[in-house]
């Protein structure tokens, strides 16, 4: 049941007077539930509980934390159709997407449980003593990763489940041993509350400390700002806009004790189309890219917003084919009137820039809040000279840039900001022939794709979902995959520490049987 | 030969008119060399060269970069006595220390060469494709670490070799594949130039690109600020004061493209003395700690500046014994009149705080710039209430705090800022009995030591030299040991990338024979 209240640890709380509602963009009406924005007192109580919970939770065994994550996954599934219906009512997204995203969310939780059970993620490293070394003896030194403390998680608008309340940031932080306080996304506060209720059931069932998780409602920016500034909080995870992420990043850096912020802030995901891709599979790629641009109403941070090709007849054919393919696809509903409004504004701004022209035209207007797709073309020179065309338009939008030659294409890549992904379409031979293009693209992205679409982010150890600023605030980390846990942990070294009081991961006998670096050699063996 | 000029890549340059000299604190006179502060044009030229050098250097094989690091080490050794003499003339430190630090410096360079030759540090991770997976095929995804770009290194005052021109930051950045621009420390600009000349000889001998290393002279803050703000620079390494490190950190965060700063800013390194340590080995520890406090005129960032004990007769005896032991030791020369001046000021401020008393008194004044040691005692309550007593006094200074009970001691630990190290002196049994003290200390430090002194930082994979702010600006990294390389690299994922064009570390056949995570299993095997 959706109460509209905050979860301050295990307790439902609604002390504030500021309320808001969520919106069903597909039906063009407000949802019935009323949400109570968290007060500063409620926030302070949540941070106090998180700080207390950390004292025990940080020391729980991997098995115990893994069990907790698995129960959360089970409890989310146990929410059944109510969760799917609420998700759809608050996002306008179709049921299939809701179910797919739920699958990914519980999958992520179970992946982190597996990471904990495997145990090697703590990067245990042991250098045993050399008491006879001259001129000074070498002491025994051992290190491993430990949780940093309570983490503030800002859910995204476009992933109400997989990157929100119990999404990747929360799952990785809880796995690391960090309590989590979620600043609930106002567009899907009901979905958020349901998931929070599942987590709180799991807290009870798995006998976790009160305060290991809290969920704060908020429709404005104050609650989030208070949370990031609160001295108890030790790190921040954010998925959203460049403006929002950068503001929190600055706030965190201005604290007396600055804390790390991992903000994933989207990108335009440049795609380079090399000649053979068009000659051999031009129609295939135009169909694939029409689908990728339109997927989820273009509301993915990996949406291909920039396609770079070399001027040629083949490119003209591709553009015309892309236009036909994308015109075949039906517009779909955006997440919220505000997002729709921003899309329309961004689209119009882009279309109004000199030297651009749309590759499709539409005679009918779509339903309210349904996003009419737009693909523009422009010349390389024009694109280079106009930074307004480099900005992300969140929605089913893309620009095909016709470059004079490879040099102009490289110059464009060199002038792009950091990106989540970059894609090369072409033959293997061309990857070799255009090494400079590949290098220019690779230096700007977190993930580089050959002959594929950037949408679709695999959850696996080798995934990098992040990239140079402004794709993320720290390109050294990833928001997706088990290594996302590294954002919330820091190494601590133990020098000459008594065996009995070392963490199990560092004991001579290696009771956890994890992979460790022992005197420079990776081994699962005991010492 | 010391020319006083900047190295802008391979070229000696002195276009500026601002000059300065270094100082011999032991002889109380200026050294003869004149150093020319780098101009903005020289700085811009160095960044341009670094950016160009990065394009090739980033792609060099591990062997080639390792060879470069080994030649740098050889060339530093080849500087012979001139380097040792210059070091002593610019630091007041004794010859033995100079030679020891040179050994550590070349040792670090060779350690990083070994890390490169081993190759597993790139964290290669491979998830092979599952083309038949439903509902969507799983693509092949592989990732590894890549250099971020040119790194600005700010040398420290207290490690003219091991944490300056070719010190840990430079060695780890060059190992990562990042060109380095050093902002030379003005107190030992001659030592810096000699080391820079050795690096530039190595650049030539190892056929490295011009601009892979530059050395900029600077006596003020402008050159450093310009360097951190320059768009070409992608990361910053700093060792020094909280004020200096925090200023650069803020500057880097305010850039259009923020960049990571790893600043190691020192700490007071709390030591907890538990009863049995005093009962069983009180005299031993007073002797050890007298030595640790006095080591290198107390100019180590791991100097034990705070000793916490439980009120008892044994503690009184320890204090009196520490007083006697430290009085036996001769003051030594500080690095520079400014550092001496700051020490005297800090010491006097601390001694002037109510409720403190010195445990030793001295009748004679030491030579100019020789640091007279000072150990104060105070009560726990007094220490808690006066944050001025929590501040680092850089030099042979410490405070022994007499706590009423374990609770007061824990409260003090809970109120300390982040620290590089924390130490427990006691029996193994006490580590168990005082789990709360250990936990409170562990949560604030990068390294926790049992029955030892915090001075002496072992260079090994398990070392953590860093810690929660303000010990460092990012507790997730270490400035010492091979993992210091992680500060300058970011992961990039390759999706469905053609085998022939994958980096060797990610090719199926594993030509480098490195440890990789392949489909969730760590292995050195080919696929």
């Amino acid at each position: 049941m959706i109460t509209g209240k905050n979860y301050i640890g295990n307790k439902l709380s609604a002390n504030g007077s500021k309320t808001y509602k969520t919106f069903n963009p597909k039906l063009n009406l407000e949802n019935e539930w009323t949400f109570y924005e968290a007060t500063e007192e409620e926030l302070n109580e949540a941070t106090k509980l998180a700080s207390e919970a950390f004292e025990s939770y940080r020391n729980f065994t991997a098995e115990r934390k893994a069990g907790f994550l698995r129960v959360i996954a089970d409890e989310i599934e146990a929410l059944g159709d109510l969760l799917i219906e609420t998700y759809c009512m608050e996002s306008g997204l179709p049921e299939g997407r809701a179910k797919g995203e739920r699958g990914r969310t519980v999958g992520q939780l179970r992946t982190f449980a597996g990471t904990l059970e495997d145990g090697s993620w703590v990067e245990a490293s042991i250098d045993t003593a050399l008491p006879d070394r001259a001129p000074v003896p070498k002491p025994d030194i051992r290190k491993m990763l430990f949780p940093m403390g309570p983490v503030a998680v800002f859910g995204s608008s476009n992933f109400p489940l997989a990157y929100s309340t119990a999404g990747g940031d929360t799952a990785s932080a809880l796995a690391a041993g960090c309590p989590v306080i979620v600043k609930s996304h106002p567009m899907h506060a009901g979905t958020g509350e349901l998931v929070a209720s599942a987590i709180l059931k799991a807290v009870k069932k798995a006998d976790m400390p009160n305060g290991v998780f809290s969920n704060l409602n908020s429709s404005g920016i104050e609650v989030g700002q208070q949370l990031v500034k609160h001295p108890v909080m030790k790190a921040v995870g954010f998925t959203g806009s460049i403006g929002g992420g950068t503001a929190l990043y600055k706030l965190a850096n201005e604290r007396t004790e600055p804390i790390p912020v991992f903000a994933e802030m989207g990108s335009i995901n440049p795609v380079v189309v090399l000649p053979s891709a068009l000659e051999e599979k031009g129609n295939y790629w135009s169909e694939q890219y029409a689908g990728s641009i339109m997927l989820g109403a273009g509301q993915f941070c990996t949406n291909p917003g920039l396609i770079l090709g070399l001027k040629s007849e083949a490119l003209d054919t591709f553009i015309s084919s892309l236009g036909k393919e994308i015109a075949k696809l039906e517009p779909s509903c955006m997440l919220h009137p505000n997002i729709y409004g921003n899309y329309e504004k961004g689209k119009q701004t882009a279309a109004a820039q000199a030297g651009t022209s749309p590759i499709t035209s539409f005679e009918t207007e779509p339903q309210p809040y349904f996003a009419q797709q737009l693909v523009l073309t422009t010349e390389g020179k024009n694109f280079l000279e106009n930074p307004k065309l480099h900005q992300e338009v969140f929605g089913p939008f893309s620009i095909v840039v016709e470059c004079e030659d490879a040099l102009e294409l490289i110059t464009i890549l060199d002038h792009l900001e950091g990106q989540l992904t970059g894609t090369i379409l072409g033959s293997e031979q061309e990857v070799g022939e255009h090494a400079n293009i590949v290098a220019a693209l690779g230096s700007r992205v977190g993930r580089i794709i050959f002959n594929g679409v950037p949408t679709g982010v695999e959850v696996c150890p080798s995934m990098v979902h992040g990239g140079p600023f402004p794709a993320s605030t720290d390109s050294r980390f990833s928001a997706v995959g088990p290594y996302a846990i590294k954002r919330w942990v820091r190494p601590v070294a133990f020098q000459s520490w008594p065996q009995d009081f070392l963490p199990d991961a560092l004991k001579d006998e290696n009771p956890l049987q994890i992979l460790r670096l022992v005197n420079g050699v990776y081994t699962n063996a005991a010492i």
Side-chain angles (χ1 to χ4, degrees), chain A residues 352-387:
Chain A
Q353 301 305 306
T356 65
S357 51
I359 69 169
T360 44
S361 62
F362 298 94
E363 276 154 32
T364 55
E365 280 280 307
Q367 289 175 249
Y369 312 132
F370 277 53
Q372 182 77 77
Q373 56 267 44
L374 176 66
V375 179
L376 300 176
T377 57
T378 194
E379 306 251 318
K381 189 167 175 296
N382 191 51
F383 182 82
L384 256 180
E385 285 167 357
N386 190 345

Side-chain angles (χ1 to χ4, degrees), chain A residues 282-366:
Chain A
N283 286 339
Y284 173 79
W285 288 124
S286 59
E287 198 187 323
Q288 290 288 308
Y289 272 82
S292 180
I293 292 165
M294 292 293 282
L295 194 70
Q299 300 166 119
F300 286 110
C301 43
T302 52
N303 190 60
L306 175 64
I307 300 170
L308 303 163
L310 301 167
K311 266 190 190 172
S312 63
E313 248 177 70
L315 185 62
D316 294 339
T317 313
F318 171 74
I319 292 169
S320 132
S321 165
L322 179 62
K324 277 180 209 141
E325 291 297 336
I326 206 162
K328 286 184 197 165
L329 300 171
E330 289 298 321
S332 53
C333 185
M334 295 200 86
L335 294 157
H336 192 272
N338 292 350
I339 288 183
Y340 174 81
N342 285 337
Y343 172 62
E344 282 297 319
K345 218 170 83 182
K347 201 173 75 167
Q348 280 156 26
T349 304
Q353 301 305 306
T356 65
S357 51
I359 69 169
T360 44
S361 62
F362 298 94
E363 276 154 32
T364 55
E365 280 280 307

Side-chain angles (χ1 to χ4, degrees), chain A residues 9 33 40 50 160 182 202 208 224 239 273 322 334 347 383 399 482 500 523:
Chain A
W33 318 293
E40 192 162 359
V182 167
M208 291 290 136
T239 310
V273 197
L322 179 62
M334 295 200 86
K347 201 173 75 167
F383 182 82
I399 305 184
D500 288 352
T523 173

Side-chain angles (χ1 to χ4, degrees), chain A residues 43-44 47-48 225-233 255:
Chain A
L43 182 146
N44 286 338
T47 58
K48 186 172 155 280
Q225 288 176 335
Q226 286 162 6
L227 194 57
V228 170
K229 287 198 277 191
H230 199 287
V232 153
M233 305 313 292
R255 289 167 45 123

Side-chain angles (χ1 to χ4, degrees), chain A residues 34 39 82 92 149 155 163 187 207 230 234 291 328 394 397 454 463 502:
Chain A
T34 299
T39 64
L82 176 62
Y163 270 80
M187 292 184 189
D207 197 21
H230 199 287
K234 296 300 175 204
K328 286 184 197 165
F394 191 69
F397 172 86
M463 178 49 65
L502 279 170

Side-chain angles (χ1 to χ4, degrees), chain A residues 151-203:
Chain A
V151 173
V153 171
F154 289 74
S156 69
S157 64
N158 60 339
F159 276 98
L161 292 173
Y163 270 80
S164 287
T165 323
D169 287 354
T170 297
S172 56
L174 289 177
C178 300
V180 168
I181 301 179
V182 167
K183 202 287 286 175
S184 170
H185 198 287
M187 292 184 189
H188 45 77
T191 308
E193 190 193 329
L194 287 175
V195 173
S197 75
I199 299 175
L200 271 311
K201 269 188 197 155
V203 166

Side-chain angles (χ1 to χ4, degrees), chain A residues 114-184:
Chain A
T115 302
L116 291 176
E117 285 154 353
D118 172 79
S120 298
W121 73 273
V122 299
E123 294 182 6
S125 172
I126 298 176
D127 293 287
T128 54
L130 294 173
D132 300 327
R133 189 184 65 175
V136 286
K138 179 181 178 180
D140 183 286
I141 302 183
R142 303 172 185 227
K143 77 157 182 201
M144 62 177 281
L145 298 172
F146 287 89
M148 292 200 289
V151 173
V153 171
F154 289 74
S156 69
S157 64
N158 60 339
F159 276 98
L161 292 173
Y163 270 80
S164 287
T165 323
D169 287 354
T170 297
S172 56
L174 289 177
C178 300
V180 168
I181 301 179
V182 167
K183 202 287 286 175
S184 170

